[in-house]
Amino acid sequence: MMDPQLAQALKAAPTNEYLLQGSILDSSLEVLLCRLKGLCDHADSPEEKFVDHEMVYAIKNASIPQPLQYSVRHSLVQPENWQLRYLGHSEMGDKSRHTLIRNCVDVATSDNVLQFLHEVGFRLDHEFVVKGFYFHKGRMKVTVSKIFKMLQQGHTTDNLESIVPSYLVELSVLATAGQDAIAEDMKNFAEQLKPLVQLEKIDHRRLQATGT
């Protein structure tokens, strides 16, 4: 039987991610960054940058149709920072809901997390490098990032190639289940970024089905 204190902690843990996504061309980056600095907290501070090496590991099981996947993010700016993330399937919800919702669990780990995943049967599926900026507005987080393909897989994060001439823009909040009022705050914030970027609910299952 689970310890009551552990059960309560798990119940209170923020395991839902409310999400809106969009993109901008490289030529619009500086204008968007200026807009975000004006709208977000700590407007007088330089924007925060990140460079992460992300590795997606998968394990196949005959009893489930889709492989189980975990992603490992390793900061290349602060090499001691490692993070293991699980993302569930995205839920579009009804049309009145302003954001996409997906189950999300983030765990800080030590640098032997890759060895652990290999030992329990996971194998590297793909990897890439993400470079970008992040901002905070209260509990909302905004990231503006570009994804790079690694030309020498598994060997170096220096030899990179940009995949598309655009940046991914994500507005997200991690919260416990049932806090749908968050979506209204996110919608109002997204309205302030128009027409620079249109943040929307993206149906990832539909994109995968069309091969996009």
Side-chain angles (χ1 to χ4, degrees):
M1 188 173 180
M2 184 179 292
D3 180 84
Q5 291 184 336
L6 176 59
Q8 184 63 32
L10 291 174
K11 185 177 180 180
T15 57
N16 277 4
E17 182 181 48
Y18 294 75
L19 181 69
L20 290 172
Q21 295 174 303
S23 65
I24 58 164
L25 293 174
D26 290 356
S27 57
S28 300
L29 175 64
E30 293 303 324
V31 178
L32 178 61
L33 293 181
C34 287
R35 175 74 63 85
L36 287 170
K37 285 185 68 174
L39 292 173
C40 294
D41 301 334
H42 309 298
D44 54 345
S45 302
E47 61 269 11
E48 298 183 77
K49 299 180 181 180
F50 67 90
V51 183
D52 292 340
H53 176 202
E54 182 157 336
M55 296 152 279
V56 179
Y57 282 80
I59 188 170
K60 296 181 179 179
N61 189 312
S63 64
I64 55 176
Q66 296 293 330
L68 176 63
Q69 290 189 336
Y70 284 91
S71 64
V72 178
R73 276 205 172 191
H74 175 216
S75 172
L76 301 180
V77 178
Q78 298 175 302
E80 69 279 6
N81 288 351
W82 291 78
Q83 181 186 61
L84 180 67
R85 163 173 274 209
Y86 167 77
L87 288 176
H89 292 297
S90 303
E91 299 178 14
M92 294 295 290
D94 57 55
K95 292 184 179 180
S96 64
R97 179 185 290 164
H98 301 305
T99 70
L100 176 148
I101 299 178
R102 61 187 180 185
N103 188 248
C104 176
V105 180
D106 286 314
V107 181
T109 72
S110 56
D111 58 6
N112 63 352
V113 61
L114 302 183
Q115 179 183 349
F116 169 77
L117 289 173
H118 275 285
E119 289 179 353
V120 297
F122 282 83
R123 294 295 178 263
L124 181 65
D125 186 74
H126 59 279
E127 61 182 330
F128 51 90
V129 170
V130 185
K131 298 182 180 182
F133 310 84
Y134 62 87
F135 302 82
H136 287 90
K137 177 67 173 179
R139 57 184 172 177
M140 292 184 286
K141 179 180 179 180
V142 186
T143 60
V144 183
S145 59
K146 181 179 281 288
I147 299 174
F148 293 85
K149 178 171 63 176
M150 299 172 62
L151 299 181
Q152 291 179 291
Q153 190 177 39
H155 294 287
T156 178
T157 54
D158 296 324
N159 197 2
L160 305 173
E161 179 180 88
S162 175
I163 296 177
V164 292
S166 61
Y167 280 79
L168 174 66
V169 184
E170 295 184 305
L171 172 62
S172 63
V173 174
L174 280 176
T176 53
Q179 297 192 37
D180 289 351
I182 291 171
E184 186 68 29
D185 295 336
M186 294 174 65
K187 176 195 172 187
N188 294 335
F189 184 85
E191 289 291 329
Q192 298 180 73
L193 297 179
K194 293 179 179 179
L196 279 174
V197 59
Q198 179 82 24
L199 297 177
E200 303 175 306
K201 294 193 294 184
I202 305 297
D203 191 342
H204 298 93
R205 290 170 294 185
R206 187 175 179 182
L207 290 178
Q208 291 172 352
T210 58
T212 305

